[in-house]
Amino acid sequence: MSINLKNLISVLEAKWIGAEAAIFIDHISIDSRSLQNGSQTLFFALTGVNNDAHLYISELIDKGVQNFVVQYIPENCEGKANFMVVKNTLNALQHFAAYYRHLFDFPIIGLTGSNGKTIVKEWLNFLLSPDYNIIRSPKSYNSQVGVPLSVIAINEKHNLGIFEAGISTVNEMDKLEKIIKPTIGVLTNIGTAHDEGFLNLVQKIDEKLLLFKDCPVIIYQKNETVDSCMSQFAAEYMLHPRKLFSWSFRDQTADVFILKKEKRNDKTRIEYQYKNEIFDLEIPFQDSASIENAISCLLVLLHFEYDSATIQNRMQMLYPVEMRLEVKNGINNCSIIDDSYSSDFQSLKIALDFLESQKKNASKTVILSDIFQSGFSNEELYSKVAQLISDNKINRVIGIGSTISSFADKFSNCITFQNTAEFIAHFESLNFANETILIKGARSFQFEEIVTLLEEKTHETILEINLDSISHNLNFFKSKLANDVKIMVMVKAFGYGNGGLEIAKLLEHHKVDYLGVAFADEGISLKNGGIKLPIMVLNPESTSFPSIIQYQLEPEIYSVKGLNAFLKIAREKNLKDFPIHIKLDTGMHRLGFEENTLTELIETLKGNTTVKVQSVLSHLATSDDMNHYDFVISQIKLFEKLSSKLISELNINPIRHILNTSGISNFPEAQFNMVRLGIGLYGVSNDPAEQKYLENVGTLKSIISQVRTIPAGDSVGYGRRFMAEKPTKIATIPIGYADGISRLWGNEVGYVVIKNQKASIVGSVCMDMLMVNVTEIDCKEGDSVIIFGESPTVTEIANALKTIPYEILTSISQRVKRVFFR
C-alpha cells in the first residue's frame, strides 16, 4: 500500500488540518498499543461506548505517528501532527476501505451466513491457492471494523480475494457490501446466531443477501425459506445479471443435487449430480456442518470449472480449521502462543500484536515457517517480515523452510532450518527457557510437533479460557459506566480460578485503571509477571507490609491498628505519599472503619505526608438481591456521608468506589469515581436477563480414559452407590474432587456432556476420577468430555449444590492446566 493523503481528503469528506497533504502512507491502524505504528501510519481514532482512541493520540505522536483521522483534535495536539477531521471515524475507515477496494479488479468471493463462514473461507483458500494468489480475511475479521481492515490488506500481486461478512442486526450489511463488492457470493448455513438482532428468520436472510446485490453469481443451499427470500431478492435487483447456483439434499431442481451421503471410516462419500452427470466425492469428515461447508466449497470449484479429478484430489485433503490463538504453559518457564496452522503476512501481524499483549516473559521468540500467498515477491515479503519482527522487538527468530532460510540475513539473531525434522533434531541445543514463544507455521510444516515438544506436560484435563469472551464481558460492563468512571477488575483467587497473570495482561492491554487482589503474594506474582497497572491488595496482613512497599502494591487499610502499623514501616523507609486505600464499613460488618472510629482515623492521617489516601471504598452486602434494596440504599447514603467527611476534614480528593458487579447493574446512580468488576468479567451474572448478554469464559474439559459395559447387578465406584439395573456402558473420566469437582455433584445429581449429549455421573466422585453412564452415547476412549462451560454452566452446578458460582470456579485445582485462546 502506498496512498497519497491528498487523495483521501475528498474520499473521507474530511477537513485537513496540518502541513502539506502530499504525504504517502503505507499502513492503517486503529490500535494505539500496536508496536507496528510508525511515521507512515494513518491512524483512525475510533470511538465507542467503551473507549475513545482520541485519548491516546498524544502518546502516539510521541512514538512518531504523524497522520490521524479524528472526530476532534485532542487538547494540546494541534500543530503537532496532521489531522483529517471527519464526522464519524468508523464511517471514514469504511469509506477508505471501499475506495481502496475499487483500485483493484479481480474476482472477490464474499461469504455470509450464520455459521461456517470462516471454515469455508479457509477451505477455499486451501483449495484454490495452487492456482491463485489469494488475499483473505485473517481469522474471523468479518465485522464493521474487521472487514475494512481485511480489504485494506490487498496488494497489486493478488488475483483472488475471499472475504467474510458478519452482521448482528439490520442496516449493517449495506456498508460491508460497498467495501467487499463480491463477484461471487456464497451463503453458508443460516442458523440461530444473532437471532436477537432481527425480527424473524426472513428479515435475517434478507439482510444477509444484501451483500450480493451487485454480485453476478450466488451460491446457496435451496430450502423453502431461503428460496422465497432469494426469489424476491432476485426480482428486486433484476437489473443486475446474475446466476443463482444452488445445491440441495432434497430438491432435485437444484443445480447440484446430492444423491447420497455414506459415512465410513471417519470419512463421508458423497454422490452428486451436476449437469446431468453423476460424480463421486470423498471428504475426511462425518459431521453435518462440515459436510454442508464442503459442499459450498464444491460449488465454488464447479463455478471455476475445475474437473472432477482435481476436485476429488483436493477436497479429500481438507482439514479441521483452528480459528484461535492459544496461550499455553511451556517447558522451563516458557509461555507458548500456538498459531501453528497458518502462515500468511496479515495473520502474522495479528499474532505479533497478540504476543505483545500476552507475553509473560520479557524475552520474545518467534518460530516462523515459510510464508505463502503474501502477494509480494520473496525479496519484498521477507524485507517486510524482518521489519515487522524488528518493530515488535523480537529477541530471537527461528525460521523453518527453504525460502525463509535463504533470507536469514535480513533478520538479527536468526537461526534457520530447512524443515521441521531438522529443527526437532537440534531442539535440545536451542535452550528454550524464560521466554514467550510465538509458533506460527503453515499447515504443511506440521508445527504441532513443535508445540508438543515445547508444551508443559500435564494430565489431559484442561480449563480453556476464552480471552475474547473476557474482552466482551469487560466491554459489556464498561458500557454501563459514565465516561469519567474508572474501573477496577478483581483478579484475586487466581483470577476466580481462571488464571491471574494471563487475564491481568489482557486487562492491562484494555487499559483498565486498577487490578484488585486479596493478598500481597497474588499482587507480587502479577508484578513479577510484568504487570505495570496499579494493584490494590484488599486483605493485607501486617506481616506483608514490607513486601507491599517493595513491590509498589497499594494496601487497603481497614483499622487504626493496621494504619499505625503501616505508617510505622512507611516512616522507617522515608516514604512520601505512598498510596493507601481506606475501607469504610457501611453495613457489611466484615472489615472497615465504622462511623465511631472515623474521628481517630482522621486525627491519625491529618498532616501526614508519608501516605496518600488514593481511594475510599466500601462493600455492598446485598447488591444482587433487590429484596434488600432499602438496605443497599442505606449503605450508599452512609458511604456518601462518611467519605465526604473524610474528604472535607483531610482536604483530599480520593477516588471513591462501592459498587461490585451486581451493583454496577442494579445501582448505576452510585458509580462515584470507580467501580469494581468481579465475577461478571468471567461471564456470570445473578440476573438471568443480564446473563444472556454475557459470554461463557471457562470450559472445563477432559477425555474418556476407558469405556466398559457392566452387567445388571454390578456396581460402580466407592461404597457401591450405583447399582446397574440393566447392562450399562460406563465411561471413566480422569478428573475428581482433587481437581475441584464436588462429591455432591456425583451419584446422578450431576452430568457431563459427551458428543453433545448428557452423561449422568454415577457413583461417588473419586479423588482423581469420576464415572458416567454412556449407554445411549456412541463414544470411545479419547473422546472429549465437557465438565462445565456452555452446558452445564457453573451457575447450574452451583444451584444444584446450593452454593454460588464463585465456589465452583475457584475450586478448580491449579493442577488443571489452563489454556488461553483467542
Side-chain angles (χ1 to χ4, degrees):
M1 174 191 293
S2 181
I3 299 290
N4 191 331
L5 288 185
K6 199 170 188 177
N7 298 335
L8 296 183
I9 297 173
S10 60
V11 171
L12 305 184
E13 299 178 356
K15 178 182 178 182
W16 176 264
I17 299 177
E20 169 59 41
I23 299 167
F24 285 85
I25 53 99
D26 64 9
H27 176 58
I28 301 297
S29 177
I30 61 168
D31 187 352
S32 63
R33 299 159 296 198
S34 175
L35 297 180
Q36 297 158 34
N37 295 322
S39 60
Q40 290 187 287
T41 294
L42 177 60
F43 185 85
F44 284 78
L46 302 187
T47 62
V49 293
N50 306 310
N51 211 347
D52 182 356
H54 294 78
L55 300 176
Y56 312 119
I57 286 177
S58 180
E59 62 186 71
L60 281 167
I61 293 173
D62 291 340
K63 293 176 181 177
V65 181
Q66 280 293 294
N67 304 296
F68 298 88
V69 179
V70 297
Q71 290 172 197
Y72 62 90
I73 300 176
E75 189 177 348
N76 299 322
C77 288
E78 189 163 352
K80 295 180 179 179
N82 302 314
F83 296 95
M84 283 191 278
V85 183
V86 298
K87 291 181 180 178
N88 183 291
T89 46
L90 175 57
N91 288 345
L93 176 66
Q94 293 170 338
H95 290 156
F96 171 76
Y99 160 79
Y100 188 75
R101 160 69 179 91
H102 284 288
L103 299 178
F104 301 91
D105 183 20
F106 53 75
I108 297 286
I109 300 172
L111 296 149
T112 192
S114 302
N115 308 299
K117 297 184 293 295
T118 303
I119 300 291
V120 172
K121 177 198 69 187
E122 293 299 321
W123 282 354
L124 285 176
N125 176 67
F126 168 76
L127 294 166
L128 297 170
S129 59
D131 310 303
Y132 294 91
N133 199 347
I134 299 173
I135 175 70
R136 71 193 192 279
S137 311
K139 301 294 179 183
S140 296
Y141 270 41
N142 60 28
S143 66
Q144 299 292 308
V145 175
V147 168
L149 294 178
S150 300
V151 168
I152 289 165
I154 297 173
N155 68 48
E156 291 76 9
K157 303 293 177 60
H158 293 125
N159 57 13
L160 178 66
I162 310 174
F163 299 110
E164 53 178 299
I167 57 171
S168 56
T169 188
V170 296
N171 302 321
E172 289 185 343
M173 188 60 86
D174 187 58
K175 297 176 182 178
L176 301 186
E177 187 274 336
K178 290 181 173 66
I179 299 169
I180 297 175
K181 279 296 175 188
T183 58
I184 302 162
V186 179
L187 182 68
T188 64
N189 176 272
I190 298 293
T192 58
H194 299 297
D195 270 359
E196 66 275 9
F198 302 93
L199 295 175
N200 50 47
L201 182 62
V202 170
Q203 187 187 54
K204 178 196 279 192
I205 296 171
D206 287 343
E207 182 73 13
K208 288 183 181 293
L209 288 178
L210 289 176
L211 178 63
F212 310 135
K213 65 182 183 182
D214 283 324
C215 190
V217 180
I218 304 176
I219 292 168
Y220 70 103
Q221 180 183 5
K222 284 177 74 74
N223 64 48
E224 188 174 338
T225 307
V226 173
D227 267 356
S228 174
C229 294
M230 192 68 78
S231 296
Q232 292 183 20
F233 178 76
E236 184 174 352
Y237 294 96
M238 59 187 298
L239 297 178
H240 304 285
R242 69 180 64 256
K243 176 184 175 185
L244 300 182
F245 192 24
S246 63
W247 67 272
S248 178
F249 291 121
R250 298 183 180 87
D251 189 338
Q252 296 187 38
T253 67
D255 297 291
V256 176
F257 179 57
I258 311 302
L259 296 164
K260 188 186 297 184
K261 288 183 302 178
E262 186 176 271
K263 299 178 181 180
R264 58 187 180 192
N265 301 326
D266 295 326
K267 298 180 180 180
T268 302
R269 176 181 167 271
I270 296 171
E271 189 177 280
Y272 65 95
Q273 181 176 299
Y274 174 57
K275 291 185 176 179
N276 298 318
E277 290 190 61
I278 295 175
F279 302 91
D280 279 342
L281 175 67
E282 188 173 78
I283 58 173
F285 303 99
Q286 291 192 341
D287 63 288
S288 57
S290 293
I291 292 170
E292 287 191 15
N293 292 334
I295 294 172
S296 291
C297 293
L298 167 65
L299 265 73
V300 173
L301 295 180
L302 291 172
H303 170 71
F304 278 97
E305 298 184 345
Y306 280 87
D307 61 77
S308 59
T310 302
I311 291 173
Q312 174 58 67
N313 289 337
R314 293 187 186 179
M315 292 197 67
Q316 68 184 356
M317 294 189 291
L318 291 177
Y319 52 85
V321 174
E322 291 290 336
M323 292 185 292
R324 62 195 198 180
L325 289 158
E326 288 189 347
V327 183
K328 303 174 179 179
N329 290 329
I331 60 173
N332 304 327
N333 195 38
C334 288
S335 176
I336 310 300
I337 297 177
D338 181 3
D339 195 12
S340 57
Y341 292 98
S342 70
S343 182
D344 60 84
F345 188 64
Q346 279 305 106
S347 65
L348 174 62
K349 295 167 77 172
I350 295 168
L352 287 169
D353 277 341
F354 184 65
L355 166 63
E356 184 61 25
S357 71
Q358 282 296 309
K359 67 178 189 292
K360 285 187 187 178
N361 304 287
S363 180
K364 297 180 287 186
T365 294
V366 172
I367 301 175
L368 184 64
S369 78
D370 288 347
I371 295 176
F372 302 125
Q373 297 175 297
S374 68
F376 305 110
S377 67
N378 283 336
E379 176 71 30
E380 187 178 4
L381 168 64
Y382 288 100
S383 295
K384 287 179 176 289
V385 172
Q387 186 61 52
L388 204 56
I389 293 291
S390 175
D391 290 344
N392 282 271
K393 299 178 173 61
I394 302 302
N395 302 90
R396 175 165 65 152
V397 177
I398 299 173
I400 300 179
S402 58
T403 308
I404 195 171
S405 294
S406 65
F407 291 96
D409 60 340
K410 292 186 177 293
F411 303 90
S412 59
N413 196 16
C414 177
I415 183 173
T416 62
F417 300 95
Q418 290 295 310
N419 51 54
T420 303
E422 186 182 346
F423 167 89
I424 292 172
H426 290 82
F427 179 76
E428 294 298 332
S429 66
L430 294 171
N431 299 320
F432 291 103
N434 304 308
E435 54 197 304
T436 302
I437 306 166
L438 170 63
I439 302 173
K440 185 151 188 63
R443 188 174 188 83
S444 59
F445 283 85
Q446 297 181 312
F447 271 17
E448 63 270 19
E449 296 179 25
I450 297 176
V451 175
T452 300
L453 281 174
L454 284 167
E455 193 174 2
E456 183 181 48
K457 305 304 182 283
T458 56
H459 67 307
E460 291 159 312
T461 296
I462 62 171
L463 180 61
E464 286 190 345
I465 310 299
N466 187 331
L467 296 175
D468 284 338
S469 293
I470 287 181
S471 297
H472 168 88
N473 297 337
L474 172 66
N475 288 332
F476 172 77
F477 284 101
K478 283 175 72 174
S479 71
K480 294 175 177 283
L481 305 181
N483 290 334
D484 58 346
V485 173
K486 300 178 185 296
I487 187 164
M488 174 188 288
V489 180
M490 310 308 297
V491 290
K492 61 182 181 178
F494 195 49
Y496 288 62
N498 292 286
L501 179 58
E502 293 82 2
I503 291 171
K505 284 186 174 296
L506 180 66
L507 296 171
E508 190 166 59
H509 190 67
H510 281 294
K511 300 191 176 184
V512 303
D513 300 284
Y514 259 90
L515 298 178
V517 298
F519 299 104
D521 58 347
E522 295 175 312
I524 291 168
S525 176
L526 295 180
K527 287 292 186 181
N528 285 335
I531 297 300
K532 302 290 194 300
L533 283 174
I535 299 173
M536 177 177 162
V537 183
L538 280 80
N539 303 321
E541 298 154 316
S542 58
T543 54
S544 70
F545 285 160
S547 295
I548 285 175
I549 293 169
Q550 178 185 348
Y551 286 92
Q552 294 294 296
L553 305 174
E554 301 181 16
E556 173 189 289
I557 302 296
Y558 49 81
S559 68
V560 172
K561 179 182 177 183
L563 176 60
N564 285 327
F566 189 81
L567 287 174
K568 181 175 182 294
I569 296 173
R571 291 189 193 102
E572 291 171 356
K573 293 182 178 293
N574 295 316
L575 299 182
K576 182 174 177 57
D577 290 337
F578 193 93
I580 63 171
H581 302 261
I582 299 299
K583 176 73 170 286
L584 302 177
D585 182 1
T586 57
M588 181 80 162
H589 296 327
R590 190 171 64 179
L591 292 173
F593 291 92
E594 295 181 284
E595 187 169 9
N596 60 8
T597 62
L598 211 60
T599 299
E600 187 178 1
L601 168 65
I602 292 169
E603 290 302 316
T604 305
L605 286 173
K606 191 169 285 186
N608 191 300
T609 60
T610 307
V611 296
K612 174 188 177 183
V613 178
Q614 187 74 8
S615 83
V616 180
L617 67 145
S618 189
H619 196 75
L620 298 176
T622 57
S623 62
D624 59 335
D625 186 352
M626 298 307 279
N627 291 321
H628 294 284
Y629 176 85
D630 290 341
F631 181 74
V632 176
I633 295 300
S634 70
Q635 278 197 272
I636 294 169
K637 287 180 177 178
L638 182 56
F639 178 66
E640 171 67 41
K641 174 186 173 184
L642 300 184
S643 60
S644 294
K645 183 176 181 180
L646 265 181
I647 290 169
S648 174
E649 295 278 344
L650 295 174
N651 192 27
I652 57 176
N653 185 30
I655 300 167
R656 291 194 288 177
H657 48 113
I658 192 172
L659 297 185
N660 53 5
T661 294
S662 51
I664 293 171
S665 299
N666 294 334
F667 297 92
E669 69 281 5
Q671 292 178 5
F672 290 96
N673 312 108
M674 186 163 75
V675 298
R676 302 188 300 272
L677 177 61
I679 193 73
L681 182 77
Y682 306 98
V684 178
S685 172
N686 294 300
D687 180 0
E690 183 176 76
Q691 182 66 56
K692 67 182 182 180
Y693 294 106
L694 300 180
E695 293 185 359
N696 178 66
V697 168
T699 301
L700 183 59
K701 289 183 173 182
S702 192
I703 64 163
I704 296 175
S705 295
Q706 191 174 39
V707 179
R708 60 165 57 80
T709 299
I710 63 172
D714 272 20
S715 62
V716 174
Y718 288 116
R720 306 193 73 197
R721 289 185 173 85
F722 174 80
M723 304 291 293
E725 297 178 356
K726 59 183 180 180
T728 305
K729 188 164 66 168
I730 300 294
T732 300
I733 319 298
I735 184 171
Y737 59 76
D739 300 293
I741 306 302
S742 172
R743 294 181 77 247
L744 298 174
W745 190 234
N747 296 312
E748 299 180 272
V749 173
Y751 66 92
V752 301
V753 172
I754 301 171
K755 295 286 186 73
N756 296 316
Q757 299 176 69
K758 292 182 179 181
S760 177
I761 300 173
V762 294
S764 298
V765 174
C766 308
M767 180 181 286
D768 308 301
M769 286 171 277
L770 56 82
M771 288 70 73
V772 297
N773 187 339
V774 292
T775 305
E776 304 301 325
I777 302 174
D778 179 18
C779 60
K780 61 184 183 301
E781 293 174 6
D783 282 349
S784 179
V785 179
I786 304 297
I787 312 300
F788 65 63
E790 296 286 355
S791 176
T793 65
V794 291
T795 301
E796 180 182 348
I797 296 173
N799 290 340
L801 302 185
K802 295 180 172 53
T803 183
I804 56 177
Y806 297 73
E807 183 176 345
I808 306 302
L809 287 173
T810 57
S811 294
I812 303 305
S813 165
Q814 291 196 36
R815 82 175 186 178
V816 173
K817 179 173 68 172
R818 271 68 174 174
V819 174
F820 300 85
F821 69 91
R822 215 169 168 177

